[in-house]
Amino acid sequence: MQKLLIVCGQEGVGKSTLIKSLVKHLHHGAVIDTEDLLQVNPWKRDDEFESLAFDNAASMVNNFFKYNYEQVVAGSVVRNRRELDLLKTKLASQPETYILNLVVSQDILDRRRKQREREPFTEEFIDWLKTSAPQDSTLREANDGSYAYIEINNGELSVEETIKRLKDGIPRFFAQVSKA
């Protein structure tokens, strides 16, 4: 059974850190951080770049499923329900889908953005993110039952504590499928 976990949240909430740590908790799975697929110069966020992002992410997910990986974790690929629907149109199959939305307080988010391992965000970019990329609620509010949704405030949690809450919240994603 193919299972897709999409990790969402604002820039700096901890998606990449969590994704890297999740791979050891998968039985036969793979992780994708879409940010790694989009390291280009010059960087310009426009409709063409958005299409490239979805095509890259969908291709990676499709390839892992094609080569019989059962669990795929994809981060930084969708920010709202419209983008989830777009991604699903690009998938070769319709895997059982789970959405994890990571949230933290604005103070913690600002601090993480300044201290991130990758190039820290400038004050100007943080100000732009606050207005241009606010926390989205459409994945929670527009859930029609086609996916399982879990939201975790990981502001005061370690990565392992976040993973424990995730595994408790969506145990079916982490359940090992027995091969007959």
Side-chain angles (χ1 to χ4, degrees), residues 6-143:
I6 299 173
V7 181
C8 306
Q10 292 179 281
E11 292 295 326
V13 80
K15 298 180 299 292
S16 297
T17 301
L18 180 67
I19 291 165
K20 289 178 202 167
S21 298
L22 276 174
V23 70
K24 66 185 175 188
H25 295 271
L26 305 177
H27 299 289
H28 190 87
V31 298
I32 305 162
D33 188 349
T34 305
E35 284 186 8
D36 293 335
L37 304 176
L38 300 173
Q39 301 300 312
V40 298
N41 188 25
W43 187 86
K44 180 181 176 189
R45 186 171 210 132
D46 57 16
D47 290 344
E48 185 175 331
F49 189 79
E50 296 268 326
S51 292
L52 173 65
F54 284 108
D55 288 349
N56 282 349
S59 292
M60 293 293 292
V61 170
N62 285 331
N63 284 338
F64 281 123
F65 286 145
K66 177 182 174 183
Y67 288 94
N68 299 314
Y69 286 88
E70 297 169 4
Q71 300 158 298
V72 177
V73 178
S76 304
V77 63
V78 300
R79 296 171 293 177
N80 54 52
R81 179 59 195 254
R82 181 190 62 79
E83 291 178 354
L84 173 62
D85 292 342
L86 176 61
L87 177 68
K88 285 180 151 187
T89 66
K90 295 179 178 288
L91 297 178
S93 63
Q94 293 304 307
E96 192 170 283
T97 303
Y98 302 81
I99 303 291
L100 166 62
N101 191 30
L102 294 176
V103 296
V104 298
S105 70
Q106 190 63 53
D107 291 343
I108 291 173
L109 192 60
D110 290 344
R111 186 181 74 235
R112 286 183 180 178
R113 287 172 170 170
K114 291 175 188 171
Q115 298 172 341
R116 57 188 270 148
E117 288 179 24
R118 295 177 185 208
E119 186 175 326
F121 295 156
T122 64
E123 291 289 340
E124 295 81 17
F125 189 64
I126 290 172
D127 289 342
W128 177 84
L129 282 171
K130 287 178 185 177
T131 58
S132 300
Q135 180 66 40
D136 180 76
S137 61
T138 59
L139 288 165
R140 177 182 62 245
E141 294 168 358
N143 187 352

